[in-house]
Amino acid sequence: MIPSAFDYHAPGTLEEAVALLERLGDDAKVLSGGQSLLPLLKLRLGDAGHLVDIGRIPGLTDITEADGYLRIGGTAREADLERSDLIREKYPILLDTAAVIADPLVRNRATVGGNLAHGDPANDHPATMLALGAEVVARGPDGERTIPITGFFTGLFATALAPAEILTEIRIPVPPPRSGGAYVKLERKVGDFATAAAAAQVTLGEQGEIVRVGIGLTNAGPTPIKATAAERYLQRRQPDAEAVAAAAQLAADATSPSADRRGSVEYKRDMARVLTGRAITRAVQRAGGQ
Amino acid sequence: MATHDVRITVNGEPQAAAVESRLLLVHWLREVLRLTGTHIGCDTTHCGACTVLLDGEPVKSCTVLAVQADGREVTTVEGLEHDGTLHPLQEGFQQEHGLQCGFCTPGMLMTGRALLERNADPSEAEIRQAISGNLCRCTGYVNIVKSIEYAAAKLR
Ligand SMILES: Cc1cc2nc3c(=O)[nH]c(=O)nc-3n(C[C@H](O)[C@H](O)[C@H](O)COP(=O)(O)OP(=O)(O)OC[C@H]3O[C@@H](n4cnc5c(N)ncnc54)[C@H](O)[C@@H]3O)c2cc1C
Ligand code: FES
Ligand code: FES
């Protein structure tokens, strides 16, 4: 399948890329890993007169900790996450997530930033970033701004990014000691989008009680979902089986999945419940709790 | 229709070409260079029959623009054999019956090659994980895993 004709641009700097996007207007799209965009263009489900490839802009692929944040460059690939010693040692929740996205070949191209910018509620990183309380850094004609992840997903395939804005970095507050996170996904086969999936990030207090918690859900509604009622419920509680089960139920109550070949509404909602419970339990274990 | 002058090294040989923006890498390889060993199976980024190495990493060439490979190195299945001697992976697929119809084989070989570059002694689980983006409708994968193990042992 061949996409309809477009022109390709490969700016060498962010300034150039933003200027190009501004000049070309609505007809232009950012091209990053291309693993969502090119399939859409090939199937002609999407259309673009111009692609602005940000993949050749240097300095956007680093994964580092600095000034209290884990910083993931705007064009860092899933494969870069998987191979990063920092991620392997300190952020197993991100490793959990990258490992279940598409397949290893797609992950050699697909970027973490693109996974968020695509605005697909079936993508896996949004839930994880909601759980981690991330921020997205965007560069546009008016300079740089920071968007909290809770305000980033504005609708189905829609984000807070303006048309000429480029996602340049994802910032995750470095978790305090006694923190842990996990992402658990149910998929029919490798490369499938989630039937249901849940991310949980917790911090434990002196007595093993939960002092901070973030829970995100994948493919459970028109946008990625932050399970706020479940988070509130867990605050200051001991994460025992009963509390985890109650929180998992509250998370499931917040979903509005649609029925498709992956399952019925009831099935998906129940899977969201089961997976939320597992994600919280694993997160607590990784935080050093019971 | 916008075209771009690109320089891409394919199987060690520098190539210069003018490519249309929308031309996919797999089409350039197959239709312009006539390197038809790289297959198109699904065209929807699922099957991995089109796998080539881009700067040494396996990617689905039906989901990369030819112009995105400008200045980079591409290795296709034609680049495995040297002066009539099969690569140990190719030998492995022959010895262990790693193929039936052969349609998935070029992709399996390229993914296998990249795996063995990174990991000289992969476990069965690591092999299965590495080829999880390459679909085979014939073999049931058992002999593909054995073929890659054969090559790993021979290369060590
Ligand atoms: C077979 C297959 C299976 C998949 N399975 C999964 C899965 O299980 N889970 C999952 O999460 N994903 C899955 N994906 C999607 C894949 O992870 C995508 O690559 C990812 O969603 C988008 O990242 P990308 O870098 O490829 O972005 P692109 O495809 O280049 O871009 C996607 C969209 O985001 C915009 N964009 C990208 N980067 C930026 C940026 N830095 N700034 C502004 N806008 C930007 C583009 O303009 C475009 O609209 C799958 C893809 C395939 C082909
Ligand atoms: S032809 Fe490229 S993945 Fe199937
Ligand atoms: S040998 Fe036929 S598809 Fe693999």
Side-chain angles (χ1 to χ4, degrees), chain A:
Chain A
M1 285 173 299
I2 299 170
S4 52
F6 54 77
D7 198 0
Y8 168 91
H9 308 263
T13 64
L14 266 179
E15 293 69 32
E16 253 182 86
V18 169
L20 261 172
L21 287 170
E22 205 182 9
R23 180 163 65 75
L24 298 170
D26 282 354
D27 207 21
K29 273 207 160 67
V30 171
L31 171 68
S32 192
Q35 303 300 290
S36 286
L37 185 53
L38 294 178
L40 284 178
L41 294 178
K42 285 171 64 182
L43 291 167
R44 304 208 178 190
L45 293 172
D47 195 16
H50 299 268
L51 294 190
V52 176
D53 184 357
I54 58 170
R56 292 184 191 267
I57 301 172
L60 288 180
T61 60
D62 291 350
I63 300 170
T64 53
E65 263 181 2
D67 307 323
Y69 289 95
L70 169 69
R71 293 157 185 264
I72 301 173
T75 60
R77 302 165 308 157
E78 303 294 350
D80 297 327
L81 269 192
E82 290 180 282
R83 288 169 203 159
S84 155
D85 290 334
L86 176 63
I87 298 299
R88 300 187 76 85
E89 279 156 29
K90 280 192 66 177
Y91 296 89
I93 183 174
L94 288 171
L95 207 58
D96 287 350
T97 312
V100 293
I101 287 178
D103 60 57
L105 307 173
V106 170
R107 295 202 292 272
N108 277 336
R109 302 286 300 163
T111 66
V112 186
N115 201 279
L116 301 181
H118 193 44
D120 186 346
N123 274 0
D124 292 295
H125 276 302
T128 298
M129 297 302 171
L130 283 167
L132 286 164
E135 297 170 354
V136 165
V137 183
R139 175 80 75 88
D142 302 327
E144 193 174 281
R145 65 177 179 129
T146 305
I147 310 165
I149 197 74
T150 43
F152 188 72
F153 303 106
T154 53
L156 187 62
F157 294 105
T159 70
L161 290 174
E165 268 185 330
I166 296 171
L167 185 165
T168 56
E169 191 174 86
I170 300 155
R171 283 187 195 154
I172 294 165
V174 173
R178 291 187 52 84
S179 296
Y183 185 66
V184 187
K185 173 177 175 177
L186 174 67
E187 57 182 3
R188 295 173 304 176
K189 60 175 184 60
V190 169
D192 194 19
F193 289 97
T195 303
Q201 172 74 25
V202 304
T203 304
L204 302 179
E206 297 285 322
Q207 265 74 55
E209 80 284 13
I210 290 187
V211 294
R212 243 203 246 187
V213 55
I215 298 171
L217 305 172
T218 301
N219 224 358
T223 58
I225 290 172
K226 191 170 192 313
T228 47
E231 292 171 358
R232 269 197 309 274
Y233 175 84
L234 284 172
Q235 279 293 341
R236 300 282 153 196
R237 274 184 210 268
Q238 286 294 329
D240 53 27
E242 207 179 317
V244 171
Q249 185 58 54
L250 286 169
D253 292 345
T255 63
S256 51
S258 41
D260 59 18
R261 277 175 299 177
R262 295 187 185 89
S264 64
V265 169
E266 295 74 14
Y267 174 65
K268 289 183 177 185
R269 190 169 282 148
D270 205 44
M271 287 305 104
R273 179 185 65 80
V274 171
L275 298 175
T276 302
R278 287 183 192 168
I280 298 169
T281 303
R282 195 168 300 167
V284 168
Q285 280 164 356
R286 284 177 174 169
Q290 293 308 303

Side-chain angles (χ1 to χ4, degrees), chain A residues 1-9 31-36 38-39 42-44 51 53 56 77 79-80 82-83 99 103-109 189-191, chain B residues 1-4 20-22 24 27 42-46 48 51 54 57-60 62-65 67-72 111 118 129-134:
Chain A
M1 285 173 299
I2 299 170
S4 52
F6 54 77
D7 198 0
Y8 168 91
H9 308 263
L31 171 68
S32 192
Q35 303 300 290
S36 286
L38 294 178
K42 285 171 64 182
L43 291 167
R44 304 208 178 190
L51 294 190
D53 184 357
R56 292 184 191 267
R77 302 165 308 157
D80 297 327
E82 290 180 282
R83 288 169 203 159
D103 60 57
L105 307 173
V106 170
R107 295 202 292 272
N108 277 336
R109 302 286 300 163
K189 60 175 184 60
V190 169
Chain B
M1 222 163 44
T3 61
H4 306 266
E20 200 189 333
S21 295
R22 63 172 167 172
L24 299 168
H27 289 144
C42 65
D43 219 4
T44 56
T45 327
H46 285 96
T51 305
L54 185 60
E57 293 187 333
V59 300
K60 294 175 172 175
C62 72
T63 315
V64 178
L65 300 172
V67 62
Q68 287 181 290
D70 186 21
R72 308 178 69 176
T111 301
R118 274 185 180 277
Q129 198 270 344
I131 62 170
S132 60
N134 295 82

